[in-house]
Amino acid sequence: MASNASLRYRCQLWQTARERQPETHPLTWRLREDNTRIDLDDYLAKDGYAAVRETLGQQSPQDVIETMKTANVRGRGGGGFSAGMKWSLTMQGEGIPRGYLVCNADEMEPGTFKDRLLLEQQPHLLIEGMILGAYANNSAYGYIFLRGEYVEAARSIDKALAEAREAGWLGTDIAGSGFDFDIALHTGAGRYICGEETALISSLEGGRANPRTKPPFPGQSGAWGKPTVVNNVETLCNVPGVMRHGADWYQGLSGERSDDGGTKLYGVSGQVERAGLWELPIGTPGQEILERAGGMRAGKSLKAWLPGGGSTGFLLPEHLELPLDFDTIGKQGSRLGTGLLTVVTEEQSIVSLLRNLESFFARESCGWCTPCRDGLPWTVKILESLERGEGEVGDLELLQELAGDLGPGKTFCAHAPGASMPLSSALKHFRDEFERGVSHPSRAAHEDPIPVGNV
Amino acid sequence: MNQTVSTNDPTTIASDGDGFVLNEEDARAIVDERGHYEQPQAACIEALKIVQRRHGWVPDGAIPAIAEALGIGVAEVEGVATFYSLIFRQPVGRHVILLCDSSSCFLTGYDTLYAEFTRHLGIRFGQTTPDGRFTLLPVCCLGACDRGPALMIGEDTYGPVAPEDVAELLEGYE
């Protein structure tokens, strides 16, 4: 088993303890050099649950929401919607039942490996963020919706929940505040679509993970018809820092780099020297992240990159100098997404990569609505024929049309629009690569059809 | 699927024609899970996973048994059991290999790794080796992109795995 052990995957941050200071690295300063889980004692020794102690019963839930709005913590799952704004829209008050706070830990976005780090090594930070979120939103109960494959994270969360409950950070009358809240771990059974906010709620309720129409928004009517807040792991992990040090401090973390506040877990994967994760001020340019990764592997040059997962649009080397924040990347026809870069080298085929991406989205479609269910496999078929050099005249136009039909506003949820973004951006930036796959005249596939049922 | 036994005591539930009987310990675990949620339906996925942990997969007969244990419709359980990729509806090998085929692994050598698995095991995705040792399946991005290509065998995650590592890696799983 010795060789097996050396191949074991372990997630880690490529930053020394010296670099990670509490004032500048709120998400990761506590992480241990040996990459093991921070247990309750360690967490408490490093300022853990101080934000809960200082907030619950000391500030009103409305104050918490206001602080979060001012800090403008934008959704780190990739949506970029202000968490404070979301919280301000949660129904609460007389006659409205207490609802749920759900942590979206269903990390499956291609190229994304950041929440795993927080879940495995620092579950108490997430629990603290959830307690604060529950307090602000008057949530009675919390769920951590974790993808089933994150076995190590499940072990880590289970231990942390037990420790927190034992020490009174979960349960009744938390920290003597009179506020009651507890959390259960809910593990999934596969399917990317579970990460979509409303599909996640369907799955949590024990159904097929089909998304739901909005409105009503989950904050009005979510799990079991109660007000439900769904936030990403990294988003919730930002809350304790914001409540402890304030919105101004949070805004200041990014300095002049960005209008967005705070830090971000950035990362790179693909053919770089040292793929990995770093906590950096939001708005750090892609160039700096690529440099931290040691640049491209020897002999490789960068052709394109995805800024934050498979559902974001391709960018070019010239875009590396832009600050990686939600608005800047949005203006380039892409999205910041999860902020974990995927790099493509000069000799890697964009058409093949796109075939891989669209096959993923086709397989993971829940099948609820037509453009997604039928449009994605159709897209894959065209890409496969282009990849083989057997494309027909008109295929590029057809792909363009499909990209539009899969786009925003045409489907129930963001799955198909997410699939459309790399497609339309690849057609824009690398049209020549697609054209090279066209070798047949228009409608060639129809000239000699195989008789149906007579093969 | 005909339910032949009707009782409110979940620990004594027998089931339909497949002769599937819910293990007593599993039945208790399922009822326990039910307590975590506002509605019993929510425990459905976990119930399927409990059955799968014991049997390796979810036989048809387990569906009405779970429905009965949770007091929900058979069709509801069946609908869920056929939706999720990690619920297996046919027998699988003793060890399930989940090979990540998403973009980052695709860009770091997934194709040659998959080719090596098919060569070494003589099976493609969705198949089980004749000796019942391994089943090979693709999986959504495993969140191990910094060390792609990545894969899981059972509950263990590996990466990066080179084609030449495959034979020795699999030796660890009898």
Side-chain angles (χ1 to χ4, degrees):
Chain A
M1 293 293 281
S3 67
N4 279 9
S6 70
L7 291 174
R8 282 287 177 116
Y9 175 79
R10 268 191 350 191
C11 62
Q12 76 180 104
L13 192 79
W14 288 123
Q15 278 166 312
T16 59
R18 184 195 296 270
E19 183 182 350
R20 294 179 276 114
Q21 295 301 314
E23 316 80 59
T24 52
H25 293 70
L27 297 173
T28 61
W29 69 273
R30 298 180 178 90
L31 293 183
R32 298 159 59 98
E33 296 271 84
D34 63 3
N35 297 311
T36 56
R37 180 183 76 98
I38 297 167
D39 65 12
L40 182 64
D41 289 342
D42 197 1
Y43 189 66
L44 289 171
K46 292 171 179 164
D47 220 20
Y49 292 105
V52 163
R53 216 174 39 236
E54 289 170 4
T55 306
L56 265 59
Q58 314 292 313
Q59 296 186 40
S60 74
Q62 284 313 314
D63 291 341
V64 178
I65 292 173
E66 278 310 311
T67 303
M68 283 293 289
K69 271 171 86 168
T70 311
N72 190 22
V73 182
R74 301 184 66 172
R76 301 302 203 241
F81 190 74
S82 156
M85 184 63 76
K86 188 185 258 189
W87 292 5
S88 74
L89 299 171
T90 306
M91 301 256 290
Q92 47 176 310
E94 202 153 320
I96 295 165
R98 292 181 66 189
Y100 297 99
L101 181 85
V102 183
C103 167
N104 186 346
D106 199 55
E107 182 168 74
M108 283 194 216
E109 180 67 30
T112 301
F113 50 99
K114 66 182 180 69
D115 294 340
R116 180 197 274 271
L117 176 85
L118 297 169
L119 293 162
E120 288 185 5
Q121 298 185 22
Q122 201 168 206
H124 281 292
L125 181 65
L126 173 63
I127 294 169
E128 183 168 14
M130 287 183 73
I131 296 167
L132 293 163
Y135 180 69
N137 290 283
N138 198 30
S139 314
Y141 205 71
Y143 291 101
I144 298 173
F145 190 112
L146 180 73
R147 69 178 295 186
E149 298 92 333
Y150 275 13
V151 179
E152 185 59 37
R155 292 185 189 120
S156 189
I157 293 164
D158 267 334
K159 284 182 199 146
L161 287 175
E163 287 172 344
R165 209 170 282 131
E166 171 77 27
W169 297 106
L170 290 172
T172 52
D173 191 24
I174 294 169
S177 65
F179 180 71
D180 305 338
F181 177 69
D182 209 331
I183 299 171
L185 173 64
H186 177 104
T187 59
R191 299 305 295 268
Y192 170 77
I193 193 65
C194 292
E196 198 277 339
E197 186 176 43
T198 60
L200 185 147
I201 291 171
S202 297
S203 186
L204 179 68
E205 290 181 356
R208 294 165 76 90
N210 293 327
R212 301 172 179 186
T213 186
K214 294 190 272 193
F217 290 91
Q220 302 166 301
S221 175
W224 300 289
K226 306 246 172 82
T228 301
V229 181
V230 183
N231 287 131
N232 165 261
V233 174
E234 188 185 347
T235 308
L236 287 163
C237 285
N238 272 292
V239 182
V242 170
M243 293 315 299
R244 184 111 168 86
H245 305 296
D248 290 343
W249 162 83
Y250 190 78
Q251 276 294 316
L253 284 172
S254 56
E256 298 296 306
R257 291 178 191 81
S258 171
D259 290 338
D260 294 341
T263 60
K264 178 82 195 71
L265 280 178
Y266 287 110
V268 194
S269 67
Q271 305 230 355
V272 290
E273 280 295 335
R274 205 172 59 145
L277 277 176
W278 298 267
E279 181 182 8
L280 299 167
I282 198 160
T284 298
Q287 186 63 44
E288 186 182 331
I289 297 162
L290 195 56
E291 277 161 19
R292 281 184 180 256
M296 301 299 289
R297 285 187 195 164
K300 308 286 181 193
S301 59
L302 179 71
K303 175 158 73 178
W305 53 291
L306 293 164
S311 61
T312 62
F314 285 100
L315 295 173
L316 301 172
E318 70 204 51
H319 297 120
L320 282 173
E321 63 193 46
L322 296 173
L324 281 171
D325 66 27
F326 291 101
D327 294 340
T328 308
I329 300 303
K331 283 187 193 122
Q332 299 299 322
S334 185
R335 296 189 307 125
L336 177 62
T338 59
L340 276 86
L341 284 53
T342 308
V343 300
V344 188
T345 68
E346 199 58 61
E347 71 273 18
Q348 290 178 321
S349 160
I350 290 287
V351 176
S352 297
L353 174 57
L354 212 52
R355 186 260 304 155
N356 170 271
L357 283 168
E358 299 303 330
S359 302
F360 170 87
F361 287 113
R363 182 178 76 197
E364 297 304 325
S365 168
C366 80
W368 186 254
C369 46
T370 311
C372 188
R373 182 185 62 241
D374 290 351
L376 287 169
W378 191 4
T379 306
V380 171
K381 278 186 184 171
I382 297 169
L383 290 168
E384 283 173 344
S385 65
L386 289 170
E387 196 182 8
R388 290 193 304 265
E390 296 172 3
E392 295 175 14
V393 172
D395 275 356
L396 273 67
E397 291 71 18
L398 189 51
L399 280 177
Q400 195 78 60
E401 201 180 317
L402 279 164
D405 290 343
L406 291 164
K410 306 281 175 56
T411 54
F412 225 65
C413 81
H415 183 85
S420 162
M421 201 172 239
L423 177 61
S424 52
S425 57
L427 282 165
K428 179 175 145 200
H429 294 309
F430 303 102
R431 202 174 173 86
D432 56 319
E433 289 198 36
F434 291 85
E435 280 167 352
R436 282 203 292 275
V438 177
S439 61
H440 288 53
S442 179
R443 299 183 64 78
H446 300 274
E447 279 173 9
D448 186 19
I450 299 165
V452 175
N454 192 24
V455 179
Chain B
M1 290 187 189
N2 298 316
Q3 285 176 239
T4 53
V5 177
S6 179
T7 165
N8 290 326
D9 179 359
T11 60
T12 60
I13 289 171
S15 190
D16 70 354
D18 294 10
F20 182 90
V21 179
L22 206 51
N23 172 283
E24 278 187 30
E25 193 186 323
D26 293 350
R28 273 194 297 276
I30 289 169
V31 171
D32 189 44
E33 276 301 319
R34 201 166 67 180
H36 291 168
Y37 307 94
E38 200 166 308
Q39 298 282 337
Q41 166 94 36
C44 180
I45 297 170
E46 193 55 39
L48 289 161
K49 287 164 78 173
I50 287 168
V51 168
Q52 185 161 292
R53 267 197 289 277
R54 183 167 304 276
H55 299 272
W57 63 297
V58 179
D60 286 350
I63 304 296
I66 289 170
E68 177 116 22
L70 293 174
I72 61 175
V74 173
E76 285 170 292
V77 181
E78 184 71 43
V80 168
T82 51
F83 186 88
Y84 294 95
S85 50
L86 295 180
I87 300 297
F88 308 134
R89 294 307 305 282
Q90 50 180 302
V92 292
R94 292 194 293 284
H95 308 286
V96 175
I97 303 168
L98 299 175
L99 185 59
C100 177
D101 63 351
S102 291
S103 47
S104 294
C105 289
F106 179 75
L107 293 169
T108 49
Y110 152 80
D111 275 337
T112 47
L113 184 59
Y114 176 58
E116 177 57 19
F117 270 104
T118 57
R119 194 197 63 78
H120 187 83
L121 295 173
I123 54 171
R124 296 191 308 275
F125 275 145
Q127 298 181 331
T128 300
T129 53
D131 60 1
R133 191 167 158 210
F134 293 111
T135 295
L136 186 60
L137 294 172
V139 71
C140 274
C141 180
L142 274 179
C145 322
D146 50 342
R147 288 164 189 246
L151 59 94
M152 288 183 83
I153 305 176
E155 296 193 336
D156 307 326
T157 307
Y158 296 98
V161 178
E164 53 270 27
D165 296 327
V166 168
E168 208 172 328
L169 180 62
L170 293 177
E171 271 175 32
Y173 297 88
E174 270 314 306

